[in-house]
Amino acid sequence: MLKAVASTCLQSRFHVATTSFNPHLRRSTESNSPLLRVLGSVYRPNCSNSRSPYFFRRFFCSDSSEGSDPVAESGAEAKRIEREGEDADSKSSAAIVPTVFKPEDCLTVLALPLLHRPLFPGFYMPIYVKDPKLLAALVESRKRQAPFAGAFLVKEEPGTDSRIVSGSDAEKNIYELKGKELLDRLHDVGTLAQITSIQGDQVVLIGHRRIRISELVDEDPLTVTIDHLKEKPYDRDDDIMKATSFEVISTLKEVLKTSSLWRDHVQTYTQHIGDFNYPRLADFGAAISGANKFQCQEVIEELDVYKRLKLSLELLKKELEISKIQEAIAKAIEEKISGEQRRYLLNEQLKAIKKELGLETDDKTALSAKFRERLESKKEKCPPHVLQVIEEELTKLQLLEASSSEFNVTRNYLDWLTALPWGIYSDENFDVLRAEKILDEDHYGLTDVKERILEFIAVGKLRGTSQGKIICLSGPPGVGKTSIGRSIARALSRKFYRFSVGGLSDVAEIKGHRRTYIGAMPGKMVQCLKNVETANPLVLIDEIDKLGRGHAGDPASAMLELLDPEQNANFLDHYLDVPIDLSKVLFVCTANVVDTIPSPLLDRMEIISIAGYITDEKMHIARDYLEKSTREACGIKPEEVEVTDAALLSLIENYCREAGVRNLQKQIEKIYRKIALQLVRRRAQNNPPVTEAQNGEPIQLNAESHCVLTETSTGEGTRDGGESKPDEIENSLDQATTSEVTLESENIKSNDIETVDKVLVDMNNLTDFVGKPVFHAERIYDQTPVGVVMGLAWTAMGGSTLYIETTLVEQAEGKGALHVTGQLGDVMKESSQIAHTLARAILLEKDPANPFFANTRLHLHVPSGATPKDGPSAGCTMITSLLSLATNKPVRKDLAMTGEVTLTGKILPIGGVKEKTIAARRGEVKTIIFPSANRRDFDELAANVKEGLEVHFVDDYNQIYNLAFSDNEKTKE
């Protein structure tokens, strides 16, 4: 069998088909089939119809992504390719006697892999052959006048997606395969292709008929034996097949209307519609469609003509839908582009017309005019160096293109430069009496703060001008630091601007960004000046003690230039890059704790401490400020509610013990919200909603009628369908005989009377509005036991009382030790050790025979244990607690003390005198012991804070010992 196949192949290679390439000999073999006449015109370049080769080259050639497309070639180029093929054929056949060779005689062919698309019969396809052996075999085959090869589509590689793998990767994988591996990757059904020309590695093929691979002959290059396939028999006159073919033709005509890409193909088809049969029509429709290669392969493999027509029709319908979508997209884009172009042209024409008439200038001229007009009003007051920079930037703006990025940077820079209030100052009001009235209206108490502001105004009055200062208001939250800043601005008639620096970690927020950065902006101070439009506003810098520090620099250091009176006259913002005078700006800073403010920054501020409010001050603030504003915010009239002084006092002492009044305001708001709900409910009960009677007319039900209708539902007055009359309701009420109805009506009438009365909030019903008390009395002990002493502490929320307790753990010879608890910091732990040492020395001096500390293990505790405590002011309290236990003497019950002690018994000064004094008053303490160095701080306190207190100032602990235990000794005597 192999010998027979080889001999057949050898004969076919040397068997020259003269008639297939000789026009005169071929005419005798042509049949009268119209399809063959159409195909025959491809091989007759010298026939009378010179247009046929050109049209059918375009008509029968399918697209290829591998190289040049013969469809795009001109008619002359197509003729040139044919002439070259005929010349090569004539040269190769000169030495051999030509014989007849038909395509069906070719039984062994070279297998050509097609990567992108199968070759349809009657269509051209250029391919690139990268394998040198395969290319040499193709050239040799063409020289031997057997220019046929098998074109087979490559299968998809297992485990890959054709949508992801690139064409170059697929080509590389195919070229690496040889023999059996390559054969397994090829589809069995392909096309017998004639080699029309070979130029370099480009081979142009034209399809003839369908073939199927039967056996492998040679592996390199891949050579296979083939079987020629024929269509299954079909009935030409079958109505369904005719209808299907007509639908294919109709679809092609529709495509002509929607897609210009197919116009040449369809025009050629309509010219030769009579020359087509059903199989060729199906191939033609599938070949020119944009279907993928696997769908086209289905058409190649289909031998049933009717099924092939249906497949081709399906592909054409899909292509038609795609063409319609493409047309719609193109139309929409064209309309959009044409509309925008038309609008652009009209705008340009309008600009040109206005410019000719002098009605409008171009953008750059208009911008320059706007900037100059903005600068005109402040040109006399503007510093010369700023004017010079503005003129330079205006000149630069005229030279730049409007579309360049530098143009936008320059425009924004000029916008900021010309918008700042250069040399513009607001008129200040130096009326001290007016300022004092405004400060008293807004805040109660705070005498030292108000006095400092009045001093500032008085100096400005005498000088005729005010110089900017830096005031730092420090104190716990809720004492009114921010609102004081607003009041100062109102008293001075200055513009007010506030910005918070809490958590700020970027220096650019203060100093601005460089102009070269994208989205660059000036710093907060430049933004402030632009907003307030004056160069002497009051700037409130909130939460300055919470400045952050990040990767973008240290904002606290950048604030130095802003707040330093010696530097802020020439403050330099990174964005503007010109000096700005901030010397007339009044800076007011707020902080909860000044300890966290960096020392260089704190040195430039004038600290005004706001310690907090005592109960009396909170009462005035609640009555005169908080209650009034809350009542107005809730929409309640003054005659509708009454809050007694006892209720407010209980609210302050049992619910709101913080230093400020923010929590007090929240509780008052809570009370008034509940009062508002009560008032609305009562009004709803007195004015029930409108209902509808049976005839559809609305009736109004008050409390009495509602009672009657519910209890006398069997009465005729509620069922007659008419409107209820007051007389009828009274009659029905008289007819009610049960005591329950009478009692209910009386209760409702009494409720109606109560709605006229005020809502009273007093001690008895306060818990109904704000719940149970949060705090209890700070005094844990009515009579202070042995080893317990009350101390005074300062916190960021104000002052508080603090008990220090000492107890005996065990007592034995040489067991003297001290154990400390209460979550104490390092400073208080050291104070406890100092107190233990000093207490032993004092006990040895007072009672030499008492070995208490040497033989006793002690435990010192500072409640509460969950609260961290630290500070240098608990030494004297700890010593007193230890000595009280050692001498078995309790201290005075109304005594509280504070102060740090040295090893020699000296008392050191402490801080937070006002806060600790307020805490002592809150704890009902009558006697306080302070270090002598704090006498000045106590004397500066307001009279109402010091009222009723017995204060002792001491230098040595022996004085404290005498004060703490003197009354007890007198009592014993």
Side-chain angles (χ1 to χ4, degrees), residues 551-567:
H551 67 280
D554 183 12
S557 301
M559 293 287 289
L560 294 176
E561 183 182 359
L562 180 66
L563 297 180
D564 192 349
E566 301 298 328
Q567 300 182 44

Side-chain angles (χ1 to χ4, degrees), residues 28-39:
S28 62
T29 61
E30 284 183 351
S31 66
N32 294 325
S33 172
L35 179 61
L36 291 179
R37 288 201 302 270
V38 175
L39 290 176

Side-chain angles (χ1 to χ4, degrees), residues 38-327:
V38 175
L39 290 176
S41 63
V42 178
Y43 306 103
R44 291 197 293 269
N46 297 324
C47 64
S48 59
N49 188 4
S50 61
R51 295 179 59 191
S52 297
Y54 168 69
F55 279 120
F56 281 93
R57 285 177 186 277
R58 295 178 60 83
F59 180 57
F60 285 111
C61 291
S62 60
D63 298 335
S64 175
S65 61
E66 295 187 23
S68 61
D69 189 355
V71 175
E73 295 179 354
S74 62
E77 183 66 18
K79 292 178 181 179
R80 182 184 62 79
I81 295 175
E82 287 188 357
R83 284 199 300 270
E84 289 178 357
E86 290 182 352
D87 293 342
D89 293 342
S90 61
K91 292 178 181 179
S92 61
S93 61
I96 302 173
V97 178
T99 59
V100 177
F101 181 82
K102 297 180 180 180
E104 55 266 22
D105 295 334
C106 186
L107 302 177
T108 304
V109 294
L110 295 169
L112 299 179
L114 303 180
L115 291 172
H116 305 290
R117 195 174 177 85
L119 174 63
F120 282 87
F123 283 82
Y124 279 97
M125 175 182 286
I127 65 171
Y128 286 90
V129 179
K130 303 295 184 181
D131 188 355
K133 289 186 178 181
L134 180 58
L135 184 61
L138 291 175
V139 173
E140 183 66 22
S141 176
R142 191 165 183 272
K143 288 181 179 180
R144 293 174 180 176
Q145 299 301 319
F148 288 96
F152 302 95
L153 183 67
V154 177
K155 297 178 183 178
E156 199 63 43
E157 186 176 357
T160 60
D161 191 349
S162 59
R163 296 170 297 180
I164 299 176
V165 179
S166 62
S168 59
D169 294 338
E171 289 180 8
K172 184 178 180 181
N173 294 337
I174 286 297
Y175 294 150
E176 292 176 354
L177 298 180
K178 301 293 181 182
K180 181 64 176 175
E181 293 182 356
L182 178 59
L183 183 63
D184 293 339
R185 289 290 305 280
L186 300 180
H187 284 274
D188 293 338
V189 179
T191 307
L192 181 64
Q194 180 182 350
I195 306 169
T196 60
S197 68
I198 300 176
Q199 295 181 354
D201 59 351
Q202 185 184 27
V203 180
V204 180
L205 307 175
I206 180 172
H208 274 270
R209 58 178 62 190
R210 288 170 171 77
I211 58 175
R212 187 191 304 273
I213 298 175
S214 59
E215 292 183 3
L216 175 65
V217 176
D218 192 3
E219 292 190 354
D220 192 14
L222 182 62
T223 307
V224 295
T225 60
I226 58 173
D227 296 331
H228 294 263
L229 303 178
K230 295 183 179 180
E231 289 83 6
K232 295 180 180 180
Y234 63 93
D235 186 4
R236 292 176 178 271
D237 298 327
D238 183 56
D239 293 337
I240 296 178
M241 190 169 292
K242 284 183 179 180
T244 307
S245 63
F246 289 155
E247 183 62 24
V248 173
I249 296 172
S250 176
T251 306
L252 289 171
K253 290 182 179 180
E254 289 292 328
V255 170
L256 178 62
K257 298 177 183 178
T258 58
S259 176
S260 60
L261 296 175
W262 289 4
R263 191 164 297 159
D264 293 341
H265 296 296
V266 179
Q267 283 178 351
T268 308
Y269 168 71
T270 55
Q271 291 176 4
H272 302 274
I273 188 172
D275 295 340
F276 274 80
N277 54 21
Y278 295 144
R280 187 64 69 187
L281 178 62
D283 289 344
F284 174 73
I288 66 172
S289 69
N292 62 42
K293 57 184 180 180
F294 301 112
Q295 292 174 330
C296 293
Q297 180 65 25
E298 289 181 11
V299 179
I300 290 289
E301 294 178 355
E302 185 58 59
L303 299 180
D304 190 319
V305 177
Y306 174 64
K307 291 183 179 180
R308 192 189 301 172
L309 277 172
K310 287 180 64 178
L311 289 173
S312 179
L313 179 61
E314 183 181 349
L315 298 181
L316 286 173
K317 288 292 185 182
K318 290 182 180 178
E319 196 68 24
L320 179 60
E321 291 300 321
I322 294 174
S323 298
K324 289 181 179 179
I325 296 173
Q326 176 187 355
E327 183 183 14

